[in-house]
């Protein structure tokens, strides 16, 4: 046996070679080299070189690399096999992830954009959606919480689609509908696929009104085991800080008599006291992957410690992700299993809102008393003391598991069943010390403790049956049908108490407070659920890759809607024409691909609260009964609406995909119009016959139309240097077409409570037929000689504020939603170096600068004010007023990222690749806007464009920062 083994080994041989790009001859690292018919394989190193032992009898090597054509090489007598791979210049033969499956990009007939890991943003994602910001035309991603690590993003695709329902796209993670973004780390994501139009999204029915974002995580590949380690460290610095008077400037104003208050003699930068100057974020991700033709795996673990730019604002998290795919029954059975978990601990005490108090604090004061204790006063909060005397910590654990089993029954017919569960639970608690300002002013210096917890569980079960076949090598037909069952349940509990005698227990023993027995402690709980059931099908047809069509129908029912409208139908149809395959295009050698698309689809919106169609009971007052006992009363707190139904969005999309000059220029153009009918809103009802004075009903209509352009160009392609450019542009206009019907009447709806000093009302008012996001109010007409406000009446006359009639004299002042979005990415590769510069901007919109409104007015004195109170607004000597005087152009262009990387060449078997990079984030902003960073200002939904503190929707003006990242990627 030993001799036989030695003889067999002697028959194998070692093949070496180099893989380069054709044309140009540039070495290609990471190319997969497989021995055909076996599980043996390897990858090329950073120099494009490979070395592979080929067993006896094997005579063919297979070379594959993303973006290049697959090649096979038959081995001869030589032990050296070099090959040059040719790029797949059309770019339209890639596989695109669609709902419940994949399609060749050349056969896609809907508006779908795919973004791979190579195109992700590089500034260290706080949320998975940060990776997509500015990368998809028509997709708006805004981080209103700034760089706060405990905030997410607002997402909107192609404008406003609802007034009260969900406007965010449905997120699908590895097939899990409504996947949890906390479970995603940037190094585990392979790609995003954004289903933008109704003809693509209709297969997801009532959760797809806002579009669909399908996220695919990385999988193991057959071949040698791989180990990948990715890490980065990020440091942030304050930029674009609002220009309030410095301590010296403030003291000088006291001395000159401009500010009437006492100079306490201190010179304190209160805002700087809240800044975490030692912030340092670190991220580590370690992944193991590999397998053979029958089994593949990938497992990753990660740790992330995110320091916020402000003190008491951080997030530590760790977790892992495991994927296993196995094949059996002669490759007819495939089973895939995913398990992911995340543990995080967040310090929630600071969110940016506490900046407002310290912006205006008298800077000649000290935060401390002479004896070293914290200084308190009734008119403000000592935020530095709050950070040291209060706590607010959230601990969260999220886990998801899913499995998919597929069986090829006969040739072309496959049955699958998919199941998933997501369990998300958190506990948050806080405590205010006995000596804290909150305890002193509100709880008789007895401390205050509270705890809250919530549990959210989502279940999904989706069996499908798929059949594909080809007739006469010309007609390709794929049909898929399935059933979807989803169930969600949410529950929570909260309690608070005070009256503690010491700070020992904090929030860990609420019963130690003495207010529970006195009935002054607070306690609450809730639980609700919903069920969604659907039947769906899709039929795709392609004739010789020339003519394509797709048909979708989904029938869906939800427990959230009225008894008379539980079920709805959601159809879609789309078609495509590859003109390049026509004979009349044969002489146009400059055109690689040219495809026309047209699609129409209907989607729905079930993103509303549970039980809104039903009568629900609520508590009333406590009354004494004849037996002398006080008892709680109950009564209906909602009118029933058995006719409550889906919001339905119908959308038409026309698009063109093209590739020119052998792939040197590619792009797509889409124009669309969408109309959402049966929009849900709350309307006033008459008492009686109704038992409550409002009802939730379908009445309105919203429309949006827009244009999207995506371009990619390879400007320079040489052996040493390449230069590519990617451009994404979009424009959109959303209009509230109808607000009333014969039963329910609303003339207009206001949004965007201004907040701050005085009762200034709402900044945004929308009428039927108007653009969504219009600022509405008084028109500034100047100031009197003594600095008093003047505003225009409807007839053009100038009057004081008390003579303005809000119904007759107010007018549209501007609009808060950007007309145009633009992003530009330039990437250069030179030898082992690569440089990427990413810029993005928004244009054609207005911002209400509420910080200027409240803090640029000397009425705020002796509280600290902006420098502009004595310069730009020096003449103003009147009360706070909302008008177009405080509207500013919000357009900007931002140098968002610059990344310089070096791929270190290694001639060793141990290290497969190593990349070192540095990134600068948010480096510069070109804008006329004078307030906070305009990038943080909300530009989605119904109440956009209001900067700084807003009590209505809890905006917080987190400090803008410039970040620098040092990162390392290593493969073994």
């Amino acid at each position: 046996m030993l001799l036989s083994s030695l003889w067999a080994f002697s028959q194998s041989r070692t093949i070496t070679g180099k893989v380069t790009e054709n044309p140009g001859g540039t070495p290609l690292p990471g190319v997969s080299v497989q021995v055909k018919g076996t599980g043996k394989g390897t990858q090329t190193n950073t120099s494009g070189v490979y070395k592979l032992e080929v067993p006896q009898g094997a005579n063919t090597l297979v070379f594959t690399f993303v973006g290049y054509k697959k090649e096979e090489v038959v081995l001869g007598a030589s032990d050296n096999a070099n090959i040059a791979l040719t790029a797949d210049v059309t770019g339209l033969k890639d596989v695109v992830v669609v709902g419940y499956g994949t399609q060749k990009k050349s056969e896609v007939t809907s508006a779908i954009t795919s973004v791979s890991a190579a195109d992700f943003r590089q500034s260290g994602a706080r949320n998975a959606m940060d990776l997509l910001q500015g990368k998809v035309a028509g997709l708006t991603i805004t981080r209103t919480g700034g760089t706060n690590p405990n905030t997410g993003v607002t997402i909107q695709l192609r404008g406003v689609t609802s007034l009260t329902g969900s406007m965010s796209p449905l997120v699908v993670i590895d097939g899990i509908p409504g996947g949890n973004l906390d479970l995603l780390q940037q190094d585990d994501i392979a790609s995003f696929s954004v289903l933008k139009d109704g003809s693509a999204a209709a297969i997801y029915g009532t959760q797809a009104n806002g579009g669909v974002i399908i996220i695919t995580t990385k999988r193991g590949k057959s071949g040698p085991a791989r180990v990948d380690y990715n890490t980065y460290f990020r440091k942030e610095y304050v930029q674009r800080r609002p220009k309030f008077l410095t301590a010296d400037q403030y003291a000088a104003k006291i001395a000159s008599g401009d500010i009437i208050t006492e100079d306490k003699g201190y010179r304190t930068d209160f805002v700087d006291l809240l800044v975490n100057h030692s912030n340092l974020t670190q991220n580590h991700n370690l992944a193991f992957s590999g397998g053979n033709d029958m089994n593949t795996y990938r497992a990753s673990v990660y740790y992330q410690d995110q320091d916020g730019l402000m003190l008491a604002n951080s997030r530590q998290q760790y977790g892992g992700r495991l994927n296993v795919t196995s094949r059996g029954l002669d490759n007819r059975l495939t089973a895939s299993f995913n398990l992911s978990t995340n543990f995080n601990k967040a310090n929630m005490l600071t969110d940016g809102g506490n900046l407002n108090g310290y912006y205006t604090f008298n800077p000649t004061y000290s935060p401390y008393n002479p004896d070293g204790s914290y200084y308190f006063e009734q008119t403000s909060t000592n935020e530095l003391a709050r950070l040291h005397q209060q706590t607010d910590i959230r601990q969260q654990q999220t886990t998801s598991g899913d499995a998919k089993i597929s069986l090829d029954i006969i040739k072309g017919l496959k049955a699958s069943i998919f199941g998933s569960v997501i369990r998300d639970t958190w506990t948050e608690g806080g405590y205010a010390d006995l000596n804290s300002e909150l305890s002193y002013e509100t709880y008789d210096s007895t401390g205050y403790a509270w705890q809250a917890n919530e549990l959210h569980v989502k279940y999904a079960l989706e069996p499908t049956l798929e059949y594909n076949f080809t007739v006469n090598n010309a007609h390709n037909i794929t049909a898929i049908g399935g059933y979807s069952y989803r169930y969600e349940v949410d529950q929570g509990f909260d309690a608070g108490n005070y009256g503690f005698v010491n700070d020992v227990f904090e929030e860990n023993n609420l019963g130690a407070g003495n207010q529970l027995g006195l009935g002054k402690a607070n306690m609450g709980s809730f639980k609700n659920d919903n069920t969604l059931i659907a039947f769906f099908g899709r039929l795709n047809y392609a004739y010789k890759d020339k003519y394509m069509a797709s048909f979708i129908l989904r029938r869906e029912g939800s427990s959230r809607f009225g008894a008379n409208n539980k079920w709805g139908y959601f159809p879609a149809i789309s078609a495509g024409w590859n003109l390049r395959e026509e004979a009349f295009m044969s002489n146009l050698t400059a055109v690689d691909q040219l495809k026309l698309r047209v699609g129409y689809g209907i989607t729905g919106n079930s993103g509303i609260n549970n039980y809104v169609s039903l009568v629900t009971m609520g508590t009333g007052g406590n009354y004494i009964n004849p037996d002398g006992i006080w008892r709680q009363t109950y009564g209906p707190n909602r009118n029933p609406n058995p006719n409550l139904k889906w919001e339905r969005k119908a959308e038409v999309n026309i698009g063109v995909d093209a590739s020119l000059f052998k792939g040197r220029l590619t792009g797509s153009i889409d124009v669309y119009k969408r109309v959402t009918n049966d929009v849900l809103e709350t309307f006033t009802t008459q008492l009686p016959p109704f038992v409550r004075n409002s009802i939730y009903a379908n009445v309105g209509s919203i429309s949006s139309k827009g244009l999207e352009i995506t371009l990619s160009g390879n400007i320079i392609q040489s052996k040493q240097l390449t230069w590519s450019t990617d451009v994404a542009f979009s424009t959109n206009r959303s209009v509230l077409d109808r607000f009333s019907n014969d039963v329910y009447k609303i003339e207009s709806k206001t949004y965007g409570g201004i907040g701050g000093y005085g009762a200034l009302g709402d900044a945004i008012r929308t009428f039927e037929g108007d653009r969504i996001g219009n600022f509405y109010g008084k028109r500034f007409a100047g100031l009197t000689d003594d600095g008093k406000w003047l505003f225009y009446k409807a007839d053009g006359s100038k009057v004081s504020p008390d003579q303005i009639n809000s119904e007759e004299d107010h007018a549209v002042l501007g609009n808060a939603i950007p007309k145009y979005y633009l992003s530009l990415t330039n990437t250069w590769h030179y030898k082992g170096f690569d440089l990427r510069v990413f810029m993005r901007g928004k244009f054609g919109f207005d911002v209400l600068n509420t910080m200027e409104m409240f803090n640029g007015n000397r009425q705020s004195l002796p509280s600290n004010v902006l420098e502009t109170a004595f310069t730009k607004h020096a003449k103003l000597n009147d009360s706070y007023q909302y008008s177009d005087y405080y509207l500013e152009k919000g357009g900007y262009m931002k140098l968002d990222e610059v990344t310089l990387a070096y791929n270190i060449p290694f001639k060793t078997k141990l290290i497969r690749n190593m990349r070192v990079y540095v990134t600068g984030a948010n480096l510069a902003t070109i804008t006329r806007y004078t307030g906070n960073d305009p990038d943080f200002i909300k530009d989605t939904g119904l109440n956009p464009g209001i900067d700084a503190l807003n009590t209505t929707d809890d905006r917080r003006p987190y400090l803008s920062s410039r970040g620098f990242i040092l990162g390392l990627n290593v493969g073994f």
Side-chain angles (χ1 to χ4, degrees):
M1 292 176 62
L2 177 62
L3 290 175
S4 298
S5 299
L6 292 172
W7 179 83
F9 180 78
S10 69
Q11 303 305 306
S12 65
R13 57 177 177 158
T14 300
I15 303 295
T16 61
K18 186 173 184 179
V19 182
T20 58
E21 183 180 31
N22 179 34
T26 303
L28 291 177
V31 176
S32 176
V33 186
Q34 295 282 326
V35 180
K36 189 173 182 178
T38 73
K40 297 186 67 64
T42 187
Q43 286 191 333
T44 59
N45 62 19
T46 55
S47 300
V49 175
Y50 71 92
K51 183 177 181 181
L52 180 63
E53 184 177 317
V54 178
Q56 179 188 17
N59 62 359
T60 303
L61 297 184
V62 181
F63 297 81
T64 56
F65 193 47
V66 175
Y68 290 79
K69 294 179 179 179
K70 177 181 176 182
E71 298 285 353
E72 295 187 4
V73 173
V74 178
L75 299 174
S78 173
D79 289 338
N80 186 267
N82 298 327
I83 189 171
L85 298 184
T86 303
D88 188 352
V89 298
T90 66
L92 296 177
K93 295 182 179 179
D94 301 331
V95 172
V96 175
V97 179
V98 297
Y100 300 100
T102 59
Q103 276 186 284
K104 288 195 302 181
K105 192 173 182 180
S106 61
E107 295 182 354
V108 170
T109 55
S110 302
I112 300 176
T113 297
S114 295
V115 180
S116 63
D119 297 318
F120 292 166
R121 292 182 65 207
Q122 300 292 308
S123 56
R126 293 171 173 83
N127 179 285
M129 290 299 153
D130 289 335
L131 301 171
L132 276 184
Q133 191 174 35
K135 298 295 183 179
V136 178
L139 181 65
T140 304
I141 298 175
T142 308
R143 178 170 278 280
T144 57
T147 58
N148 183 345
N150 296 315
T151 59
V153 295
T154 60
I155 312 171
Q156 185 173 285
L157 182 63
R158 292 186 167 183
V160 172
T161 57
S162 180
L163 297 180
T164 58
S166 172
M167 284 184 271
S168 297
L170 170 68
V171 174
V172 180
I173 303 175
D174 289 335
I176 302 177
N180 192 304
L181 295 174
D182 283 340
L183 294 170
L184 292 173
Q185 300 299 307
Q186 65 179 38
D187 297 308
D188 293 330
I189 301 174
S191 67
F192 293 86
S193 189
V194 183
L195 314 187
K196 298 198 286 188
D197 71 336
S199 66
I203 196 156
Y204 287 102
T206 65
Q207 293 189 316
N209 244 25
V212 181
I213 299 177
I214 301 176
I215 302 173
T216 303
T217 60
K218 293 178 180 178
R219 296 286 189 269
K221 299 178 181 179
S222 61
R226 296 168 52 115
V227 180
D228 293 281
Y229 172 66
N230 300 296
T231 183
Y232 68 77
F233 294 84
R234 178 176 59 224
K235 179 75 174 178
E236 294 181 84
Y237 301 89
V238 175
Q239 70 162 355
R240 201 177 176 86
R241 175 176 160 177
K243 295 181 180 180
F244 282 79
L245 296 178
T246 65
D248 289 335
Q249 290 173 325
Y250 191 90
K253 295 293 183 184
I254 294 176
S256 66
D258 290 322
I259 299 178
I260 309 301
T261 190
E262 182 182 1
D263 184 344
K264 289 287 189 176
Y266 297 96
R267 300 294 180 262
T268 308
D269 185 344
F270 280 98
V271 173
D272 192 67
L273 293 175
L274 302 182
V275 175
N276 181 10
H277 292 286
S278 62
N279 74 86
L280 182 67
T281 289
Q282 57 177 307
N283 178 80
H284 307 274
N285 186 290
L286 182 64
F288 305 83
S289 63
N292 53 39
D293 290 342
M294 303 304 293
N295 301 282
T296 59
Y297 68 90
R298 186 179 187 275
S300 68
V301 292
Y302 62 86
Y303 171 76
Q304 191 174 65
D305 184 358
Q306 298 186 66
D307 262 358
L309 184 63
M310 300 181 65
L311 294 172
N313 177 229
S314 61
R315 182 182 181 92
Q316 295 85 37
Q317 58 184 2
Y318 61 93
R321 177 174 288 272
L322 173 66
N323 166 261
V324 177
T325 301
S326 297
R327 296 174 178 84
L329 297 180
D330 195 23
N331 276 329
R332 292 173 57 195
L333 179 67
T334 302
S336 180
F337 304 92
N338 294 287
L339 181 64
S340 179
T341 190
N342 172 278
F343 298 85
N344 68 72
K345 180 180 180 181
N347 191 337
M348 312 281 284
L349 193 60
T350 304
D351 62 2
N354 53 332
L355 282 171
N356 289 277
Y358 259 19
Y359 278 142
T360 59
F361 210 83
N362 183 335
T364 70
Y365 279 52
S366 168
Y368 304 99
N369 292 312
D371 63 358
S373 61
Y374 288 108
Y375 170 79
F376 299 147
E377 65 176 24
Q378 295 292 327
T379 59
S380 64
T381 299
N382 188 330
E383 296 295 343
L384 184 65
R386 191 176 73 90
L387 298 188
H388 290 86
Q389 296 178 329
Q390 291 181 226
T391 60
D392 184 353
I393 300 295
R394 174 180 287 194
Q395 300 180 80
Q396 186 170 6
Q397 195 267 321
T398 308
T399 300
S400 76
D402 67 85
K404 183 177 182 180
I405 300 175
S406 301
L407 176 66
D408 293 327
I409 301 173
I410 59 175
K411 182 179 180 180
L413 180 62
K414 179 171 67 176
S416 302
I417 185 168
F418 172 85
S420 68
V421 59
I422 304 175
R423 189 179 191 275
D424 179 22
T425 181
W426 57 259
T427 296
E428 185 174 351
Y431 180 70
D433 293 353
L434 272 64
N435 294 326
S436 68
E437 189 171 7
L438 176 65
S439 174
Y440 172 75
E441 294 180 355
T442 309
Y443 298 105
D444 301 324
S445 295
T446 63
Y448 177 72
W450 62 276
Q451 273 201 22
N453 62 72
E454 290 190 15
L455 171 65
H456 310 274
V457 185
K458 297 182 179 181
Y459 303 91
L461 180 66
E462 296 183 327
T464 57
L465 194 64
E466 182 177 357
Y467 186 51
N468 62 80
F469 60 97
T470 302
V471 179
N472 297 329
N473 292 321
H475 305 274
N476 296 320
I477 300 173
T478 301
I480 185 170
Y483 167 80
S484 179
Y485 171 83
R486 301 180 201 171
Y487 176 71
E488 300 179 7
V489 58
D490 303 326
Q491 63 185 83
F493 176 85
D494 66 270
N497 197 7
Y498 64 100
F500 298 91
V501 297
N502 57 54
D503 296 322
V504 174
F505 295 116
E506 297 183 329
E507 73 272 24
N508 301 309
N509 186 356
L510 295 183
N514 61 22
Q515 300 300 302
L516 184 63
L518 300 175
K520 294 182 179 181
N522 63 284
M523 182 173 62
S525 64
F526 71 90
K527 184 175 183 179
N528 57 73
D529 65 350
N530 74 88
T531 302
L532 186 148
I533 296 174
F535 303 89
F536 59 89
R538 179 177 61 220
L539 177 67
N540 293 331
Y541 169 77
Y543 174 69
K544 291 185 176 181
D545 285 335
K546 186 185 299 184
Y547 311 113
M548 294 80 63
S550 178
F551 308 90
I552 292 173
L553 180 63
R554 183 177 178 109
R555 173 171 166 78
E556 189 162 282
S558 171
S559 63
R560 286 176 169 168
F561 292 94
N564 299 332
N565 289 294
K566 290 290 187 187
W567 291 85
Y569 287 94
F570 304 95
I573 182 172
S574 58
W577 178 19
N578 277 330
L579 280 78
R580 188 64 185 85
E581 301 299 321
E582 298 290 354
F584 61 78
M585 295 285 292
S586 59
N587 294 327
L588 297 178
T589 56
V591 180
D592 309 315
Q593 289 286 341
L594 182 61
K595 180 174 66 174
L596 300 180
R597 296 178 279 102
V598 61
Y600 174 82
I602 295 177
T603 54
N605 191 351
S606 60
I608 60 175
N609 293 331
N610 295 328
Y611 316 136
V612 290
S613 69
L614 305 175
V615 174
T616 53
M617 303 293 286
T619 57
N622 289 286
Y623 296 94
I624 191 168
N625 278 254
D627 58 6
I629 298 176
W630 290 81
R631 288 188 172 88
Q632 176 73 60
T633 62
Y634 294 86
N637 59 9
R638 179 185 288 118
N639 283 319
N641 186 357
N643 296 317
L644 195 74
K645 58 184 178 181
W646 323 99
E647 296 180 337
R648 292 170 60 90
K649 176 174 65 65
E651 182 171 8
V652 176
N653 189 98
I654 300 174
V656 178
D657 299 325
S659 176
L660 308 173
F661 313 117
K662 295 184 179 180
R664 295 290 293 272
L665 179 63
T666 61
S668 62
I669 300 175
D670 283 276
V671 293
Y672 62 88
K673 182 176 181 180
R674 44 171 51 175
V675 178
T676 305
N677 288 308
D678 299 322
V679 172
L680 287 162
E681 183 56 277
T682 300
F683 295 87
T684 301
T685 55
Q686 184 177 351
L687 299 175
F690 292 95
V691 295
R692 305 294 294 183
N693 60 2
S694 65
I695 191 170
Y696 198 49
N698 302 88
V699 174
S701 175
I702 297 173
S703 65
S704 297
K705 56 184 178 182
L707 167 70
E708 298 165 356
I709 301 175
T710 302
L711 296 174
S712 296
N714 295 315
I715 300 173
I716 296 177
Q717 277 188 324
S718 67
K719 184 176 182 179
Q720 298 293 337
L721 176 66
T722 65
W723 174 17
S724 62
T725 298
D726 299 302
V727 179
F729 169 84
S730 65
T731 181
N732 173 273
R733 178 184 175 90
S734 297
V735 175
L736 181 60
D737 298 312
R738 184 167 49 85
F739 223 171
S740 304
N741 61 12
D742 294 337
V743 179
Y744 304 111
K745 303 286 186 181
I746 296 181
E747 293 184 1
S748 64
K749 190 78 173 180
T750 62
Y751 304 95
I754 297 170
Y757 305 106
L760 299 184
D762 295 333
I764 294 172
R765 192 171 188 178
T766 303
F767 294 86
E768 288 187 340
D770 272 357
R771 280 188 67 189
I772 291 175
N774 276 344
F775 287 110
Y776 193 82
K778 297 187 290 292
R779 295 171 295 150
F780 177 65
L783 298 172
T784 64
D785 292 339
D786 57 351
K788 304 302 181 183
W789 292 106
L790 291 174
F791 298 106
Y792 288 109
K793 288 184 69 67
D795 61 8
S797 60
K798 301 178 181 181
V799 299
S800 58
D802 59 334
Q803 298 181 57
I804 292 291
N805 184 299
S806 61
E807 297 302 320
E808 297 176 359
D809 301 321
H810 285 194
V812 174
L813 308 176
N815 191 272
I817 299 177
K819 292 182 180 178
Y820 309 107
Y821 293 84
L822 175 68
S823 67
L824 176 66
T825 306
N826 281 287
T827 306
W828 293 268
H829 296 278
Y830 178 72
K831 294 185 178 180
F833 292 92
D834 58 81
L835 173 66
R836 183 161 73 169
V837 178
F838 175 53
M839 303 178 70
R840 59 183 175 85
K842 305 171 186 177
F843 311 94
F845 68 106
D846 301 293
V847 174
L848 177 61
N849 192 338
T850 56
M851 181 170 286
E852 200 77 36
M853 182 187 301
F854 297 127
N855 303 123
N857 189 328
R858 283 177 295 165
Q859 293 285 325
S860 298
L861 296 174
S863 296
N864 199 359
V865 294
L866 292 164
E867 294 176 4
T868 53
F870 293 93
T871 55
K872 180 180 178 181
H873 313 298
K875 188 179 178 181
L876 177 59
N877 183 27
D878 205 347
S879 61
Y880 306 103
Q881 293 288 336
Y882 160 55
S883 74
D884 56 357
Y885 179 79
Y886 293 107
L887 286 185
E888 299 182 31
K889 298 298 181 183
Y892 68 89
M893 191 69 183
K894 182 182 290 286
L895 181 58
D896 201 41
E897 285 181 8
V898 176
T899 298
L900 176 63
Y902 180 60
N903 297 289
I904 303 174
F906 279 94
K907 296 182 179 180
T908 173
K909 293 182 179 180
L910 178 62
I911 300 178
R912 187 178 73 252
N913 63 275
M914 179 178 288
R915 179 175 183 263
V916 180
Y917 65 93
V918 290
T919 295
N922 198 22
L923 295 177
T925 303
I926 302 173
T927 183
R928 294 168 56 190
Y929 183 63
T930 63
N932 293 305
D933 191 329
D935 190 30
F936 295 165
I937 299 171
K938 185 178 179 183
D939 58 339
T940 59
L942 302 165
N943 54 354
I946 304 174
D947 193 6
L949 180 64
N950 180 292
T951 55
T952 300
D953 57 5
D954 204 31
R955 290 189 184 94
R956 292 293 186 265
Y958 201 87
L959 283 172
S960 179
S961 65
R962 181 180 290 116
F964 296 93
I965 294 175
L966 175 64
L968 172 68
N969 309 127
V970 185
F972 302 94

